[in-house]
Amino acid sequence: MSVFVTVGTTSFDELIALVSEEASAQILRSLGYHKLILQIGRGSVKPKPRRSGAFTMQVFRYKKSLQNNIRQADLVISHAGAGSCLETLEEGKPLIVVINEKLMGNHQLELAKQLHSNGHLLYCTCSTLMETLQSMDLSALKPFPAGRPEIFAAFLDKVVGFE
Amino acid sequence: MLKFGIQLLLAAVILLVLIFVFLTRLLLVLRAGSTHKPGKTGPLTVFTVAGSGGHTTEILRLLGSLSQSYSPTHYIMADSDKMSEDKICSFERSRGKQSSKFQYFIHRIPRSREVRQSWSSSVLTTLRSLLYSLPLTFRLKPDLVLCNGPGTCVPVCASAVLLGILGIKKVIIIYVESICRVENLSLSGRILYHFSDYFIVQWPVLKEKYPKSVYLGRIV
């Protein structure tokens, strides 16, 4: 099983430094994850890729689309960016959102918080991430229903007079 | 001295009359939205405002559900936006395969507001974008403006409202607040809440706070 960590187009050094520590690798291994892929954006912490025994870690900055990485992951750990959250939930992947406490008041947090209170994702800070990993019950997360643009289309047809 | 005073008074009266006429027209134009049905006479020219930071992705999902009667589509975006054009072209390519009736054009205008730009300087840069969006709007006379919050939609909607005030054409303005906005409207949303014909929100909390808005559930 593999874990994909993504910070989008921003940087989140604290998170990247934390998950790339050996102690974190051990926790992940104990949970059955043997592959860790880090998308680090414009962060200044750039861990070296490594392969030790049954555990591998890959690192990259950006990609045109992260969809493949999300699809191949069994667990996604993400910053609170709306794009990353929605993309992950739409792929039906379990998601842990890690709040960057240095960015409090950012409107992006609103969405992650709401999705958390609706039971679609787990929500923590860097200091509680390892605890969250060890105590999480991913099967309790609720699937995220897809948006329905066809309702908008029907509404608009009525508004402009197409029937 | 007296003559100057009279001239000044006259100028003030003319100005007041102009402001009164402008505001009355504005009110009429904003009220006309619910009765204006341009679709009864055929396909509609659509203005769509694209923008980085998720706006383009969301607006393309909405466009993807619309029939071929919404064509041509004119995309308007900030000149510094690098990501949106690729997304739009690939969306339109796949839509074009389904029907050749979908036509689209891309227009660039100077960015009206950078992220975190201050209020006061935003006013100036927005006026600059208005100088570019006005001629575009007057030339293409859209039936519909569809937008979801990048700063660029403020000057574009202002141009559309002006078209109505001058009696040239009533443009229907549809604003769809981004799914990211759960409790508070974006800056563009707070402005365009007052100037759009239909203001759609995607979370119930916002519907409660802004009673004039329309809640259709999650649509993107």
Side-chain angles (χ1 to χ4, degrees), chain B residues 202-219:
Chain B
Q202 303 196 63
W203 291 99
V205 181
L206 283 179
K207 167 68 190 162
E208 271 165 38
K209 271 194 192 170
Y210 296 92
K212 204 193 84 174
S213 65
V214 179
Y215 174 65
L216 304 168
R218 189 177 153 228
I219 53 175

Side-chain angles (χ1 to χ4, degrees), chain B residues 18-191:
Chain B
L18 279 177
I19 291 173
F20 177 75
V21 170
F22 183 85
L23 288 178
T24 317
R25 284 292 305 160
L26 178 65
L27 210 66
L28 284 174
V29 167
L30 293 181
R31 286 214 178 142
S34 54
T35 51
H36 183 56
K37 304 280 178 198
K40 296 221 183 283
T41 54
L44 303 182
T45 300
V46 181
F47 265 27
T48 289
V49 184
S52 50
H55 291 296
T56 301
T57 311
E58 281 195 30
I59 211 84
L60 291 181
R61 284 196 196 170
L62 294 178
L63 286 175
S65 70
L66 300 183
S67 73
Q68 56 202 24
S69 304
Y70 296 87
S71 179
T73 305
H74 293 274
Y75 293 91
I76 301 165
M77 63 173 89
D79 48 10
S80 56
D81 184 344
K82 294 185 178 61
M83 312 282 274
S84 295
E85 190 159 347
D86 283 350
K87 286 186 185 159
I88 289 166
C89 291
S90 89
F91 165 75
E92 286 289 351
R93 261 199 306 276
S94 75
R95 195 157 80 143
K97 277 179 202 152
Q98 290 156 22
S99 164
S100 55
K101 286 195 182 142
F102 287 115
Q103 276 190 316
Y104 78 103
F105 304 91
I106 292 179
H107 310 273
R108 287 178 178 275
I109 64 174
R111 186 176 284 278
S112 109
R113 182 171 183 263
E114 297 287 351
V115 176
R116 281 186 279 276
Q117 190 181 333
S118 78
W119 257 96
S120 50
S121 76
S122 297
V123 171
L124 284 178
T125 46
T126 300
L127 283 174
R128 186 189 57 178
S129 327
L130 192 61
L131 282 181
Y132 288 83
S133 60
L134 268 176
L136 200 63
T137 313
F138 279 65
R139 181 160 58 87
L140 299 168
K141 296 185 189 62
D143 296 290
L144 194 69
V145 175
L146 176 62
C147 57
N148 67 350
T152 311
C153 62
V154 174
V156 172
C157 290
S159 310
V161 171
L162 199 60
L163 217 59
I165 289 177
L166 296 176
I168 300 171
K169 187 170 191 175
K170 165 67 194 173
V171 184
I172 297 182
I173 298 175
I174 314 271
Y175 186 93
V176 181
E177 187 59 287
S178 162
I179 186 82
C180 309
R181 296 296 180 159
V182 179
E183 290 167 15
N184 299 296
L185 295 181
S186 61
L187 181 56
S188 308
R190 291 204 298 274
I191 296 169

Side-chain angles (χ1 to χ4, degrees), chain A:
Chain A
M1 295 205 295
S2 70
V3 181
F4 179 51
V5 179
T6 174
V7 307
T9 49
T10 59
S11 67
F12 194 171
D13 285 339
E14 203 185 344
L15 173 66
I16 297 299
L18 174 70
V19 293
S20 57
E21 273 172 21
E22 182 50 36
S24 311
Q26 264 171 30
I27 291 175
L28 289 175
R29 259 199 320 259
S30 72
L31 293 165
Y33 299 102
H34 293 280
K35 191 173 179 185
L36 178 62
I37 301 178
L38 309 178
Q39 184 265 316
I40 64 168
R42 52 180 174 77
S44 51
V45 172
K46 188 168 197 267
K48 284 203 176 69
R50 61 188 150 109
R51 179 187 290 270
S52 54
F55 193 82
T56 57
M57 184 170 87
Q58 295 166 12
V59 182
F60 67 91
R61 284 201 181 272
Y62 302 104
K63 248 183 215 176
K64 206 168 177 190
S65 162
L66 299 174
Q67 199 181 31
N68 275 336
N69 288 102
I70 294 171
R71 275 192 186 157
Q72 283 157 16
D74 298 285
L75 172 66
V76 177
I77 298 176
S78 162
H79 75 135
S84 311
C85 293
L86 292 172
E87 220 180 327
T88 306
L89 293 180
E90 273 155 19
E91 290 295 334
K93 297 294 178 177
L95 171 64
I96 302 180
V97 166
V98 184
I99 302 302
N100 189 346
E101 284 160 301
K102 290 182 188 124
L103 294 178
M104 279 302 181
N106 186 326
H107 79 84
Q108 302 255 358
L109 297 185
E110 261 182 38
L111 180 69
K113 228 155 86 186
Q114 184 67 41
L115 293 171
H116 169 67
S117 57
N118 292 4
H120 300 302
L121 52 83
L122 296 170
Y123 185 81
C124 66
T125 59
C126 282
S127 52
T128 57
L129 175 62
M130 291 305 139
E131 253 169 78
T132 306
L133 278 168
Q134 284 169 307
S135 63
M136 68 189 178
D137 174 12
L138 296 180
S139 63
L141 290 177
K142 291 192 192 121
F144 186 59
R148 301 181 60 191
E150 68 277 10
I151 292 181
F152 169 75
F155 171 82
L156 198 56
D157 281 350
K158 214 166 127 197
V159 159
V160 300
F162 289 142
E163 292 292 352

